[in-house]
Amino acid sequence: MTHAPSSRPRSMAATISPLVLIAVSVPCSVYEFKRAFEGVTSATDAWLAVGASSLSAIVGFIFLAWLARLRPSALAWIAAFAWGTGGALIISGFGNGIVDPAIEASGLDESTAEFVTSVVTGPVIEEIAKAIGVIVLVLAARRLLTRPAQGAVLGALVGLGFAWGEDVGYYLSALDDGISGLWESFLARALLGAFGHAIFTAVCGYALAWALTRAVRPPQAILSGIGGLIAAMLVHAQANGVGLVAPEDSWNLTYGAIELPVLAVGLVLLVWGMRRRHDTLEA
């Protein structure tokens, strides 16, 4: 008589790890939103900012739910999104809050300092912060992974959460110029630069899952994981760099002409990676 192997260890990991991320992220999210809404006196502005940011997140979530069917579990998806908008956002906020003033006080001219913080240190800090949650979730599901695209989905969810929390602050600031300011910010962040953070972190998630499902030797797996994180930083840096150097009189055209194809390629690769086989993460 044969016995099926026990699924308890993997079930415990798949349950406990997301719960830990959620427990850490919820108070972080509360703190970040309190800071974002400090000084906001108009309830209308608050709802407009949250609504505009939520629209992008909902569209992205629906797409990923259609693609991956809420696997490995709804709990893992909640944890990924929560880490993005909580743990990753607060780590990035503190990290950038320490590094940016140090660079500005280093004696660099204003344009150089802005370039360094936008294109170098910002992407490094933010992608490391987001990758922490991706690493936890991918490792928790390591026995269930069948292909790298599954890690990309988890990474994209973390990126969606990060963008949701970050965009609320940007939209609140944009509303100082009224609805036209909100529209300009929404156009740049939600349409022309659509789902940038999701794409950046999906690259890292893909590499981490590849390390667990395809790598033959530990050094190969380690190099894959590190390479994926660096690649996420580079894709992030190019997006920030384009936004920084695009001509003011044709900013929308220049930025959209580069970043929308990046989005299109990312979507095609993700769909191909998830649909070439029908098995998905199982809880």
Side-chain angles (χ1 to χ4, degrees):
M1 179 178 179
T2 59
H3 297 276
S6 173
S7 62
R8 182 172 299 175
R10 72 182 185 184
S11 296
M12 289 291 289
T15 301
I16 292 175
S17 296
L19 286 175
V20 170
L21 287 182
I22 293 170
V24 171
S25 297
V26 168
C28 293
S29 298
V30 172
Y31 173 82
E32 285 295 323
F33 274 92
K34 282 185 176 180
R35 289 186 59 192
F37 288 111
E38 282 178 0
V40 177
T41 58
S42 171
T44 301
D45 284 356
W47 282 110
L48 283 172
V50 172
S53 184
S54 298
L55 181 60
S56 300
I58 291 170
V59 170
F61 196 92
I62 290 173
F63 170 76
L64 291 174
W66 164 78
L67 186 64
R69 295 176 293 176
L70 293 178
R71 305 286 178 87
S73 69
L75 183 62
W77 281 49
I78 293 170
F81 190 88
W83 177 257
T85 197
L89 199 59
I90 201 169
I91 291 172
S92 298
F94 280 114
N96 288 326
I98 294 171
V99 173
D100 289 2
I103 291 174
E104 291 167 1
S106 65
L108 295 173
D109 62 83
E110 184 177 350
S111 61
T112 302
E114 183 180 12
F115 179 86
V116 172
T117 56
S118 296
V119 180
V120 182
T121 60
V124 169
I125 292 169
E126 292 175 13
E127 292 310 319
I128 289 175
K130 289 185 288 180
I132 293 171
V134 182
I135 291 169
V136 171
L137 292 171
V138 168
L139 287 177
R142 63 189 181 277
R143 298 181 182 177
L144 312 175
L145 297 174
T146 59
R147 57 195 185 282
Q150 296 165 337
V153 170
L154 292 174
L157 286 164
V158 173
L160 280 179
F162 189 92
W164 181 66
E166 184 181 57
D167 285 352
V168 168
Y170 280 106
Y171 293 153
L172 284 171
S173 297
L175 279 165
D176 290 340
D177 296 324
I179 294 298
S180 63
L182 175 62
W183 166 247
E184 289 179 5
S185 184
F186 185 81
L187 175 65
R189 300 191 64 81
L191 299 180
L192 299 179
F195 309 109
H197 279 292
I199 293 172
F200 310 151
T201 315
V203 172
C204 180
Y206 182 96
L208 290 170
W210 189 94
L212 293 174
T213 60
R214 300 290 188 269
V216 178
R217 298 178 179 84
Q220 188 181 24
I222 293 172
L223 288 175
S224 172
I226 294 173
L229 179 58
I230 293 173
M233 295 173 183
L234 291 175
V235 180
H236 191 159
Q238 70 80 28
N240 287 6
V242 170
L244 194 63
V245 303
E248 187 174 351
D249 59 351
S250 60
W251 192 93
N252 289 342
L253 179 62
T254 303
Y255 191 76
I258 295 174
E259 297 311 312
L260 289 178
V262 171
L263 171 65
V265 170
L267 291 177
V268 169
L269 290 176
L270 184 59
V271 172
W272 174 78
M274 288 298 298
R275 293 304 187 193
R276 61 176 177 159
R277 292 177 59 190
H278 293 290
D279 51 336
T280 54
L281 285 172
E282 299 290 343

